[in-house]
């Protein structure tokens, strides 16, 4: 059985700044537990001689030269902003998160 | 804000042993950002250097900047680190408006450089070796400006504005192992460590290395362990410590603050604290997240970095003389005191003083002109001191003083002319007619005139009141418009009195 508890889901929701109701917490706890249990089956076939894979393609050292490329215009950059002030993105006060 | 209680520093050390750790972020001076081709530039219009990748828009794909990898490896090598044969980037997940991606691309368990060390020499001559745990690559976050409220700080702000020009700029974060045995030197060790890192970064040329512009930022970890105990105390991490002096002050403050709490029977909260330069205090920030809370995982959009040993050795061969060794060598050769030498280093004048000495000036003269008059002019004009004049100009000026052609005062006038673009020191002397009057005949004529106006002076000198000569010397200097050697005038006056 997985170790996913309602408290853990609440903690994760807090970190992700997602406001969940008690009912949603309950159902997500069950769903996440199932997902974790399913993925845990993989470790049953993974033996110590199988190295954890982060990238399926055997590529490394893919670099870009240090040359400036055109950026977006300020208008383009801000076109998706919910709110702006001047040329900057405007966001809610972040007092709560900082304390 | 409630004022913290502080325990006397000596008393705090009597009861507790301070344990330190530092995280220094170095902003690299590559032309472009870490993962995209946007310009890495300081002081441009807000949000002018952004693209889908650094804004975290759908479809943005990161590409690693080769130069940033090279700079990171060179910095790692200069810190005596091993360079990883294979390492990866990781996503550090957090939700805060300074990153619109909701994660920072960083490195987690596979830093590019690890296991280094840096030896510091303190004022007392004591040597302390700081072990480097790791130096890893990551990207900077956007710049938040807190609006409204009274203070412009986070507390009391109504809303915040975000400029993502800095978002994605390459950083190297250097993390020390815990530093024990610092004792009363703890604040100085903090300062000396950050100063040594700054000197290395500057010598390598991998960063603009200006602390006041945030190119180098220090987080200071401090905890206290009660004497006789072996377990480490709870630490705080003081952020935003952006000058050498602040590092020293912040470490001292945290030692005194924590000691007062522990001595009163309280306990330390593990948290980040903000350093306030103006008041010289720290205040509580957010409780420190556990690494688990960041849900690190390998960055799927970037492939591993595996620097070949040939590349690493090539970069090692390109390293400059280590600053500590160079400093010791030059200080010795120039015969400066530690303080005099530090003046030169802190003014970023080491290279230029070295060039001035190479051009023929005495080390003392070179130091005097660059850290004195030229720095004063540069500050007044708000420009870099190195842009004012050439090292050869200073060497020539210094030679003109040494040969007696100029007094210090005339030399300063000549320097003004050079700064104003009137030519070399010799040319300015010529054009402005600044040369010292070395013609004794002209001096004697002026002395006679002065004596005629003050007939009792000669008698006084003959009576042994030599200081009476001062009035005559003053009058002669005035008549010569300052273009005379006062010592020579004095000699002539005394000769006259002896006749």
């Amino acid at each position: 059985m997985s170790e996913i508890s309602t408290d853990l889901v609440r903690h994760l929701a807090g970190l992700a700044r997602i406001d969940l109701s008690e009912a949603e917490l309950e159902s997500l706890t069950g769903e996440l537990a199932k997902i974790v249990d399913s993925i845990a089956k993989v470790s049953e076939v993974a033996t110590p001689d199988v190295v954890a894979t982060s990238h399926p393609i055997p590529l490394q050292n893919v670099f870009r030269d240090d040359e400036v490329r055109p950026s977006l215009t300020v208008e383009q950059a801000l076109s998706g902003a919910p709110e702006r002030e001047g040329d900057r993105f405007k966001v809610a006060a972040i007092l709560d998160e900082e304390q | 804000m409630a004022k913290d209680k502080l325990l006397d520093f000596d008393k705090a050390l009597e009861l507790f042993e301070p344990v330190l750790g530092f995280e220094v972020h170095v902003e690299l001076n590559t032309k472009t950002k870490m993962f995209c081709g946007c310009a890495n530039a300081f002081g441009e219009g807000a949000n002018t250097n952004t693209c889908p990748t650094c804004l975290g828009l759908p479809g943005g794909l990161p590409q690693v900047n080769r130069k940033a990898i090279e700079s990171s490896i060179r910095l790692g090598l200069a810190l005596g680190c091993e360079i990883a044969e294979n390492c990866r980037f990781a996503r550090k997940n957090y939700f805060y408006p300074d990153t619109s991606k909701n994660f920072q691309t960083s490195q987690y368990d596979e830093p590019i450089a690890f296991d280094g060390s840096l030896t510091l020499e303190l004022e007392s001559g004591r040597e302390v070796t700081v072990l480097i745990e790791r130096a890893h690559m990551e990207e900077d976050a956007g710049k938040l400006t807190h609006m409204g409220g009274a203070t412009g700080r986070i507390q009391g702000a109504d809303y915040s504005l975000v400029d993502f020009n800095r978002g994605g700029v390459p950083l190297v974060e250097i993390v020390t192992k815990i530093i024990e045995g610092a004792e009363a030197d703890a604040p100085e060790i903090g300062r000396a460590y950050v100063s040594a890192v700054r000197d290395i970064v500057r010598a390598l040329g991998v960063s603009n290395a200006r602390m006041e512009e945030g190119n180098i930022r220090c987080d200071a970890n401090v905890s206290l362990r009660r004497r006789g105990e072996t377990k480490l105390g709870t630490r705080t991490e003081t952020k935003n410590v952006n000058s050498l002096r602040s590092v020293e002050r912040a470490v001292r403050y945290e030692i005194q603050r924590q000691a007062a709490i522990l001595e009163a029977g309280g306990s330390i909260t593990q948290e980040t604290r903000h350093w306030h330069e103006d008041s010289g205090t720290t205040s509580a920030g957010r409780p420190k997240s556990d690494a688990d809370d960041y849900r690190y995982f390998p960055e799927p959009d970037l492939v591993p970095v595996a620097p070949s040993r040939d590349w690493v050795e090539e970069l090692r061969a390109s390293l400059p003389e280590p600053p500590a060794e160079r400093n010791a060598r030059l200080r010795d050769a120039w015969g400066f005191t530690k303080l005099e030498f530090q003046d030169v280093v802190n003014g970023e004048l080491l290279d230029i003083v070295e060039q001035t000495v190479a051009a023929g000036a005495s080390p003392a003269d070179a130091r005097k002109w660059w850290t004195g008059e030229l720095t004063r002019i540069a500050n007044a004009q708000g420009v870099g001191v190195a842009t004012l004049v050439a090292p050869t100009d200073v060497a020539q000026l210094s030679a003109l003083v040494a040969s007696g052609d100029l007094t210090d005062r005339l030399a300063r006038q000549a320097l003004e002319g050079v700064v104003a673009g009137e030519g070399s020191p010799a040319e300015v002397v010529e054009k402005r007619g600044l040369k010292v009057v070395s013609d004794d005949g002209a001096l004697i004529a002026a002395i006679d005139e002065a004596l005629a106006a003050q007939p009792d002076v000669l008698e006084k000198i003959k009576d042994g009141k030599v200081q009476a000569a001062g009035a005559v010397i003053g009058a002669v200097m005035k008549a010569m418009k300052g273009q005379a050697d006062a010592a020579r005038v004095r000699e002539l006056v005394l000769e006259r009195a002896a006749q």
Side-chain angles (χ1 to χ4, degrees), chain B residues 32-33 58 69-70 89 189-190 205 260 331 340 382 413-414 477:
Chain B
T32 65
K33 293 187 180 182
I69 301 281
E70 186 184 295
F89 287 99
I189 287 173
R331 197 173 85 206
E340 287 170 342
Q413 289 179 26
M477 293 302 286

Side-chain angles (χ1 to χ4, degrees), chain B residues 57-258:
Chain B
L57 300 181
L61 265 183
Q63 288 177 295
V64 175
N65 182 338
R66 185 196 316 273
K67 183 77 182 174
I69 301 281
E70 186 184 295
S71 296
S72 304
I73 294 174
R74 292 180 73 226
L75 181 49
L77 289 171
L79 292 166
C81 289
E82 304 284 322
I83 303 301
E85 299 205 6
N86 198 301
C87 65
R88 290 181 297 186
F89 287 99
R91 290 189 181 181
K92 179 182 182 179
N93 298 281
Y94 71 97
F95 293 77
Y96 197 68
D98 65 2
T99 172
S100 49
K101 299 192 297 184
N102 291 339
F103 64 85
Q104 176 192 34
T105 308
S106 180
Q107 292 193 296
Y108 182 47
D109 52 353
E110 301 179 21
I112 190 155
F114 53 91
D115 284 351
S117 72
L118 199 53
T119 299
L120 316 171
E121 194 193 334
L122 306 184
E123 295 289 339
S124 61
R126 178 186 172 194
E127 283 198 352
V128 177
T129 297
V130 173
L131 298 179
I132 310 287
E133 166 119 8
R134 55 189 284 160
H136 68 254
M137 302 179 287
E138 60 184 30
E139 58 179 340
D140 210 342
K143 186 170 170 51
L144 291 174
T145 308
H146 306 293
M147 306 297 286
T151 57
R153 289 190 189 144
I154 294 164
Q155 287 83 0
D158 296 324
Y159 58 95
S160 301
L161 297 177
V162 199
D163 171 7
F164 285 110
N165 281 352
R166 200 182 61 189
V169 163
L171 295 178
V172 175
E173 177 175 342
I174 304 162
V175 183
T176 66
K177 296 195 183 206
I178 61 164
I179 304 166
E180 297 178 273
E183 297 299 341
D185 291 331
E188 191 193 340
I189 287 173
R191 179 195 180 99
Y193 171 70
V194 178
S195 159
V197 170
R198 182 198 62 181
D199 290 349
I200 286 176
V201 163
R202 202 175 269 163
L204 290 169
V206 296
S207 168
N208 294 339
R210 291 182 191 283
M211 292 192 77
E212 67 278 14
E213 286 178 11
N215 303 141
I216 296 182
R217 310 196 282 268
C218 173
D219 301 342
N221 292 296
V222 177
S223 70
L224 295 183
R225 173 160 56 193
R226 195 174 281 278
R227 299 280 170 196
E229 286 189 16
T230 50
K231 206 168 144 272
L232 290 173
T234 304
R235 71 186 166 91
T236 60
E237 178 181 350
T238 303
K239 290 196 167 289
N240 194 28
V241 194
N242 293 339
S243 72
L244 294 179
R245 186 163 160 265
S246 298
V247 178
E248 191 161 357
R249 289 169 77 203
V251 169
R252 175 180 285 267
Y253 185 86
E254 270 303 288
I255 289 172
Q256 292 185 263
R257 188 189 69 85
Q258 292 184 16

